[in-house]
């Protein structure tokens, strides 16, 4: 399995540029924003069959090798600066089977215990730990789920979950949570101000509440961004809900169009007006007045297009051409989905290159990442950090 | 002649060592690292693109924190980080002989920090924006492309209101503190105070007008409410410069439909020159709070802006400076006839459209007694705490409200 990363790289979490190794401040914009999928270093020596996982926080990337003597390699802020393969792995992580990383903590799941390590301090012992009683019938470890509950992103870390939820997987943002049960039901709780709970309103929920709109349709995968939620049905359909201000739901976004217009008008001085017209809410007027506020669409240009800024109920997202989704992951304001035919689609915030379309343009429409298709690479998995994306590629074409 | 950058760097710390970057535990060390990189670039050679990028990273990260959870609970440290981001971005914009547009962007950036951030380095953003505004004005004076302001203000003749005597808000001219306290404050009765703001510079040396506001605050960014009233589905808030707000919603140059209202904004904290044109009424000292605790808001908009019937948790002096407003008041004793919204968000707001009530849905409303008035420039309306009030501007209007306890 080879991993490719793109997007935010200010801490070298995708790759480390030579200047950073020498201790110089990076001046180059293109080293901080990686717009073209770049293979992660350190994998070249490991064989194709090595099973691995990536976990990413804002400033770091954890590479979890699961084959044989499993352990975690950390890259990014505070890590040893090197592009050499298989450089120092985190010794405290030897033998771990799963990892979960936030900006402050790295949580490791071992067969007999769970440990949370404070990434801001260099300590000999974990900040928090719990033992796991060995039960042969227990579900496989799936952080942030732990036996009896889950590890939250802030104190108190351990939160219990009712066993009748039969939690199978859990996705967390800073303020909301989405849980997938063994029966395929989806529960959400936390802050609802941006519709991210999917119950049709903006109110918050203190306890897990079933997303009734999805009742009767078993789901197989759940993911959260900072203000949005997504899940995949057994049949490979993608459902989205929450905030769409930056197009992260893949639905028409007024906020995004305005931001693109604004970017356009600020850069427009030397560029002819032809290049500036976006194809839906373009103003038609030359963007050269340097105005710093978004323009209203002119009379007669008010299209039939319905913009969605908050989607409070789950909506089915059609990723054209129609295809089945295998897995999905979300950054803070972008979404990435892998189809069963090995293609990667991304949409949402693109300012740091995290969409992988080799530009810095945000999009409210799912678009295929052509880089992989051009090289006949089959994308198998995707994991998003808040502002970047990591795609796993395997050798053969999957039918 | 000093360059803009020399003026700006004169107000910044001398060097990196004297530039403070202290934050609480909530701000992760990776974020502090980014702040340090930006600080270093302030005092060393770097490309403009790199400075802008690092500042933007700080802004993007703290923006996400500011939008997480409820605004009330946002840790002040994140608002400080946001302000630092604004500082670094504004500094980067005016570093190398900025264009007119970059200058305006820098002003806007400082305003975003003042609106959403928290004060840093002895309110350095306020200091910076003053320097930048000075630069904007002097470049404007150099432009010979001055067109006389085409007065496209709609000729509005406010409907002549007949206020019946028995429903009129009583009036008093310059009552003594004791008189006001005994007859109005303690019994919580509304009254119009005449003559008490006659001394305001806003009504004398610096009469507030569109031209004056443009000159003092034209390039500054302010929040504007768009939509006929805040209970409407189409209602939203946006950020515009004062010039844009005036052009679009007062002079109607762009023929935009809909009402825009610069409402409930602490403009006088943002633009100190305007604060000097007004004074808090002396009667505020009758309350228990400190003068610093008085919340002063600006309300500036065209004719037709409406604040639906609602109540506030503090005493209010509503001072009219420009134009006139129709105001109706209902006592909290009659709340049962006013049909407040049930939701937590709007429970202080009535469901009834005061000047066009749905008598079928709200039958009791017609029975609720009220007081009404047309508030004119120079007059101050005392709205007692929790007193329901409905306000509609009859023409171009600028009011200043003082919320006190």
């Amino acid at each position: 399995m080879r991993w490719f990363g793109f997007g935010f790289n200010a801490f070298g979490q995708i790759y480390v540029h030579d200047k950073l190794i020498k201790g110089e401040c990076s001046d180059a914009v293109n080293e901080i924003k990686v717009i073209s999928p770049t293979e992660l270093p350190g994998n070249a020596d490991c064989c194709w069959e090595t099973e691995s996982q990536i976990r990413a926080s804002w400033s770091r990337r954890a590479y979890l090798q699961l084959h044989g003597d499993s352990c975690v390699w950390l890259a990014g802020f505070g890590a040893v600066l090197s592009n050499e393969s298989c450089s120092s792995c985190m010794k405290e992580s030897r033998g771990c089977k799963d990892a979960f990383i936030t900006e402050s903590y790295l949580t490791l799941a071992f067969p007999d215990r769970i440990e949370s390590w404070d990434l801001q301090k260099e300590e000999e012992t974990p900040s928090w730990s719990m033992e796991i009683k060995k039960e042969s019938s227990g579900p496989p470890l799936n952080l942030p789920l732990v036996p009896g509950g889950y590890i939250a992103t802030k104190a108190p870390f351990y939160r219990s979950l009712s066993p009748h939820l039969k939690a199978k997987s859990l996705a967390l943002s800073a303020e909301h949570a989405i849980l997938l049960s063994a029966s395929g039901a989806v529960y959400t709780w936390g802050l609802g101000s941006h519709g991210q709970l999917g119950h049709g309103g903006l109110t918050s929920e203190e306890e897990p509440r079933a997303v009734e709109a999805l009742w009767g349709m078993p789901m197989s995968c759940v993911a959260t961004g900072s203000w949005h939620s997504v899940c995949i049905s057994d049949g490979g359909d993608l459902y989205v809900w929450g905030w769409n201000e930056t197009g992260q739901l893949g639905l028409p976004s007024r906020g995004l169009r305005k931001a693109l217009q604004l970017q356009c008008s600020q850069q427009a001085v030397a560029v002819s007006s032809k290049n500036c017209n976006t194809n839906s809410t373009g103003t038609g007027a030359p963007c050269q007045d340097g105005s710093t506020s978004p323009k209203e669409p002119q009379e007669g240009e008010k299209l039939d297009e319905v913009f969605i800024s908050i989607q409070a109920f789950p909506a089915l997202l059609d990723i054209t051409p129609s295809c089945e989704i295998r897995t999905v992951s979300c950054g803070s304001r972008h979404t990435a989905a892998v189809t069963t035919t090995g293609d990667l689609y991304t949409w949402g915030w693109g300012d740091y290159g995290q969409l992988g379309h080799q530009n810095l343009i945000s999009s409210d429409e799912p678009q295929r990442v052509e880089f992989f298709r051009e090289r006949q690479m089959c994308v198998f998995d995707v994991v998003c950090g808040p502002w970047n994306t990591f795609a796993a590629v395997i050798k053969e074409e999957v039918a | 002649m000093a360059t803009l950058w020399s003026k700006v760097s004169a107000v910044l710390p001398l060097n990196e060592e004297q530039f403070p970057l202290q934050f609480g535990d909530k701000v992760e060390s990776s974020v502090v690292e980014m702040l340090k990189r930006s600080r270093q670039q302030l005092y060393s050679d770097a490309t403009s693109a790199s400075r802008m990028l690092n500042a933007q990273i700080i802004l993007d990260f703290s923006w996400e924190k500011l939008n997480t959870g409820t605004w009330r609970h946002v840790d002040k440290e994140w608002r400080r980080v946001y302000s630092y981001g604004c500082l670094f971005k504004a500094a980067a914009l005016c570093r190398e002989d900025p264009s007119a547009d970059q200058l305006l962007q820098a002003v806007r950036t400082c305003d975003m920090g003042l609106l959403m951030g928290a004060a840093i380095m002895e309110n350095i953003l306020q200091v910076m924006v003053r320097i930048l505004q000075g630069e904007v004005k002097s470049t404007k004076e150099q432009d010979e492309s001055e067109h006389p302001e085409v007065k496209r203000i709609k000729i509005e003749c406010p409907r002549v209101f007949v206020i019946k005597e028995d429903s009129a808000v009583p009036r008093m001219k310059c009552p003594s503190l004791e008189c006001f306290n005994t007859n109005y404050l303690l019994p919580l009765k509304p009254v119009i105070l005449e003559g008490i703001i006659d001394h305001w510079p806003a009504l004398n040396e610096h009469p507030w007008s569109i031209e004056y506001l443009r000159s003092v605050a034209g390039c500054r960014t302010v929040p504007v409410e768009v939509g006929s009233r805040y209970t409407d589905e189409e209602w939203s808030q946006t950020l515009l410069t004062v010039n844009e707000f005036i052009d679009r919603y007062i002079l109607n140059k762009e023929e935009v439909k809909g009402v825009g209202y610069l409402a409930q904004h602490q403009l006088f904290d943002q633009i100190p020159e305007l604060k000097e044109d007004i004074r808090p009424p002396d009667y505020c000292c009758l309350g228990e709070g400190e003068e610093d605790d008085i919340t002063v808001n600006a309300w500036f908009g065209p004719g037709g802006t409406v604040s639906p019937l609602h109540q506030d948790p503090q005493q209010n002096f509503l001072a009219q400076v420009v134009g006139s407003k129709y105001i109706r008041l209902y006592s909290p004793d009659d709340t049962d006839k006013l049909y407040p919204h049930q939701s937590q968000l709007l429970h202080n707001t009535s469901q009834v459209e005061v000047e066009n009530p749905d008598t079928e849905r709200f039958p009791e409303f017609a029975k609720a007694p009220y007081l009404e008035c047309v508030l004119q420039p120079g007059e101050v309306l005392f709205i007692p705490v929790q007193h329901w009030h409905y306000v509609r501007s009859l023409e171009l209007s600028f009011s200043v409200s003082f919320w006190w306890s």
Side-chain angles (χ1 to χ4, degrees), chain A residues 8 10-11 26-27 29 32-33 58-59 77 103-104 120 174-175 191 227 243 266 290 292-293 296 332-333 349 352 387, chain B residues 28-31 33-34 37 41 46-47 49-50 53-54 56-57 60-61 63-64 67-69 101 105 108 244 248 257:
Chain A
F8 185 61
F11 298 96
S26 166
D27 246 18
V29 172
I32 291 180
K33 298 184 179 186
W58 181 68
S59 68
F77 181 58
E103 196 52 29
S104 323
Q120 310 227 79
E175 293 286 338
L191 215 68
W227 299 278
W243 208 17
Q266 283 176 351
T292 49
S293 85
E296 309 283 344
S332 68
R333 285 182 277 163
W349 197 34
Y352 288 89
W387 296 0
Chain B
E28 295 95 341
S29 25
S30 49
V31 182
E33 168 66 23
M34 289 305 315
R37 287 188 197 176
Q41 289 185 319
T47 61
S50 173
L53 174 55
N54 283 334
Q56 196 59 47
I57 291 171
D60 286 338
F61 192 84
W63 182 91
E64 291 193 347
N67 280 275
T68 301
D101 187 55
Q105 260 194 71
R108 182 186 161 88
E244 285 162 350
R248 199 176 300 180
K257 289 189 193 140

Side-chain angles (χ1 to χ4, degrees), chain A residues 58-109:
Chain A
W58 181 68
S59 68
R60 294 182 180 87
R61 177 246 311 166
Y63 173 79
L64 173 62
Q65 182 176 272
L66 296 162
H67 179 78
D69 197 12
S70 53
C71 66
V72 165
W73 277 263
L74 277 181
F77 181 58
V80 170
L81 297 175
S82 168
N83 271 330
E84 285 165 21
S85 60
C86 304
S87 52
S88 56
C89 82
M90 194 183 158
K91 62 178 184 345
E92 301 89 342
S93 69
R94 287 212 184 275
C96 79
K97 296 300 170 195
D98 197 8
F100 184 80
I101 193 168
T102 65
E103 196 52 29
S104 323
Y105 291 92
L106 174 66
T107 301
L108 302 169

Side-chain angles (χ1 to χ4, degrees), chain B residues 90-261:
Chain B
L93 281 166
C94 56
R95 183 81 173 231
E96 285 155 26
D97 198 26
S99 67
D101 187 55
Q102 283 174 312
L103 203 49
L104 288 175
Q105 260 194 71
V107 171
R108 182 186 161 88
T109 303
C110 290
D111 273 331
M112 291 306 293
L114 290 169
L115 292 173
M116 310 239 293
I120 53 167
M121 296 166 65
E122 286 161 28
N123 214 357
I124 192 164
L125 288 177
Q126 191 68 263
V127 174
M128 264 200 87
V129 82
R130 184 168 281 203
I131 295 172
L132 294 171
Q133 248 188 302
E135 200 74 9
V136 170
K137 282 180 199 168
S138 64
T139 43
K140 253 201 176 157
E141 277 152 23
Q142 285 160 27
D143 281 346
E144 284 318 316
S145 56
E146 290 284 345
H147 304 292
E149 184 99 77
V150 180
K151 293 267 191 292
R152 231 178 294 182
I153 307 175
K154 289 183 279 211
I155 312 293
E156 306 164 40
C157 299
R159 190 159 60 100
V160 176
F161 262 91
V162 179
I163 305 277
K164 284 177 264 188
E165 236 192 85
D166 42 339
S167 61
V169 178
R171 289 159 175 274
M172 286 232 67
K173 187 159 169 88
C174 298
S176 68
L177 287 176
E178 212 188 303
C179 170
F180 173 76
N181 195 34
T182 310
N183 296 308
Y184 300 102
L185 179 55
L186 287 174
L188 295 177
K189 288 201 176 313
V191 63
I192 292 178
L193 301 168
E194 296 169 337
I196 69 166
I197 60 171
D198 284 352
H199 58 289
W200 277 15
L203 293 165
N204 293 288
E205 309 94 82
H206 294 148
W208 285 0
S209 64
I210 289 179
E211 297 75 37
Y212 176 70
L213 290 169
R214 276 199 204 272
S215 74
V216 156
C219 62
R220 303 298 301 276
T221 296
V222 291
V224 171
E225 300 182 357
V226 177
S228 40
R229 61 200 72 209
Y230 68 78
T231 41
D232 264 9
E233 265 183 29
E234 287 299 308
W235 184 88
S236 68
Q237 288 175 300
T238 187
L239 293 166
L240 299 174
T241 63
V242 169
N243 281 332
E244 285 162 350
F245 172 67
I246 289 173
D247 286 339
R248 199 176 300 180
Y249 293 106
I250 308 266
L251 302 178
N252 212 19
K253 277 185 185 168
E254 295 167 33
E255 285 168 24
V256 164
K257 289 189 193 140
V259 171
Y261 195 8

